[in-house]
Amino acid sequence: MRQIINKFYTKALKKLTLCLPELQRKRLVGYVSTLLVLTVVLHLVSTVCAAPVSEQLKATVNNIVNNSGSGNPSMDNTAYRFNLGVYYQKLGNIDNAIKEYEAVLMLDPENAETHNNLGVIYREKNELDKAAEHYQFVVSLNPGMEEAHNNLGVIYYLKGNYREAGAEYRKALELNPGNLKSLINIGLVYKSQGQTKKAIEIMEDVLMEDTFQTEAHYNLAILYEEMGHQEMATWHYTLFIRNADSDYSELKEIVKAHIKELRVSSGSTLKG
């Protein structure tokens, strides 16, 4: 089981370029800790948002294909360079994306979307200080941009600044009380601070709003397992498997194997 989890962990690490802690704990705690880290990574990636595809972006891409990227007279240079940056970012051509975004900031230093997208890039490159600078600039420019507060909270969380992370998640939640992603992130902050009961309360609150919230079920399973409530843990792991979409296909298989181990160790008769 540990080999399977470590294989998934290594793959996620290479893919997401995040700096994760080494796990040198006892066997059971090692499983739980690794699974939690992977969940945090997968969850945080899903909460950091770059610019969506727009009609202008489509026009930029069409122009690249048809005119070798020579420019588009139908849009100003700032919009063109921004959309070109988004295009490169979606292709995974990060160096060119950064080049285009920096060109945008030369033309428009207070372009919040550009700073936000650079924050996404630098977070994925694990250059957390640079990411924080861009997100801080975004929230100063647009305090009402909930995703920017959440994104900044992610950076603080990854740096271990849990109090600052919680403050940013709460600002995002104030701007949008229905933002369950930020609420889950607050729960993860409590978890990291050792406040397990508060973390459980948060995850339960999320499930009151959305019974099928997979990340809440998963994190609840880990929390209950750490408290020694193996039947509750198994139940929430099972609900995670039932509700998780294809994005979690590999993790679902790992969890299935872990459930079997929990049942052997506890003698549980719960059915998956």
Side-chain angles (χ1 to χ4, degrees), residues 104-260:
V104 171
L105 295 181
M106 290 292 291
L107 298 167
D108 181 9
E110 297 187 353
N111 189 303
E113 286 185 320
T114 300
H115 282 290
N116 187 69
N117 288 5
L118 280 170
V120 172
I121 286 175
Y122 285 122
R123 188 194 64 79
E124 292 177 347
K125 287 168 65 70
N126 199 35
E127 297 183 35
L128 300 184
D129 289 337
K130 286 185 178 181
E133 288 177 7
H134 284 288
Y135 288 141
Q136 287 166 349
F137 200 79
V138 173
V139 297
S140 69
L141 289 172
N142 189 354
M145 189 174 178
E146 67 173 279
E147 61 267 30
H149 286 290
N150 187 80
N151 291 350
L152 183 56
V154 168
I155 301 303
Y156 287 142
Y157 183 94
L158 293 173
K159 295 179 71 174
N161 299 332
Y162 300 127
R163 180 176 295 181
E164 292 86 347
E168 293 301 326
Y169 294 145
R170 289 184 178 86
K171 288 177 184 177
L173 203 58
E174 288 173 5
L175 292 167
N176 179 10
N179 186 340
L180 296 183
K181 298 291 187 181
S182 291
L183 187 57
I184 289 173
N185 285 345
I186 290 172
L188 293 175
V189 168
Y190 282 129
K191 166 66 177 62
S192 298
Q193 292 175 326
Q195 300 184 61
T196 303
K197 290 184 178 180
K198 284 190 176 182
I200 288 175
E201 289 176 4
I202 292 291
M203 299 303 170
E204 295 284 7
D205 287 344
V206 171
L207 292 177
M208 288 290 290
E209 296 294 325
D210 181 2
T211 306
F212 303 103
Q213 227 296 336
T214 56
E215 290 153 357
H217 280 299
Y218 188 81
N219 284 296
L220 267 174
I222 291 171
L223 289 163
Y224 280 126
E225 186 174 353
E226 289 188 341
M227 293 183 71
H229 302 320
Q230 293 193 5
E231 287 196 2
M232 288 295 292
T234 301
W235 175 241
H236 282 288
Y237 278 136
T238 302
L239 291 175
F240 164 77
I241 292 170
R242 289 178 181 175
N243 297 318
D245 58 27
S246 59
D247 290 340
Y248 293 99
S249 57
E250 287 188 75
L251 188 55
K252 284 168 68 174
E253 294 304 313
I254 294 173
V255 171
K256 286 179 183 178
H258 189 53
I259 287 174
K260 290 180 181 178

Side-chain angles (χ1 to χ4, degrees), residues 80-113:
Y80 180 78
R81 300 302 290 269
F82 174 80
N83 288 324
L84 193 55
V86 173
Y87 172 70
Y88 284 131
Q89 188 174 0
K90 290 180 181 295
L91 285 180
N93 191 335
I94 301 305
D95 289 341
N96 278 343
I98 292 174
K99 178 181 177 181
E100 295 303 329
Y101 288 143
E102 288 179 345
V104 171
L105 295 181
M106 290 292 291
L107 298 167
D108 181 9
E110 297 187 353
N111 189 303
E113 286 185 320

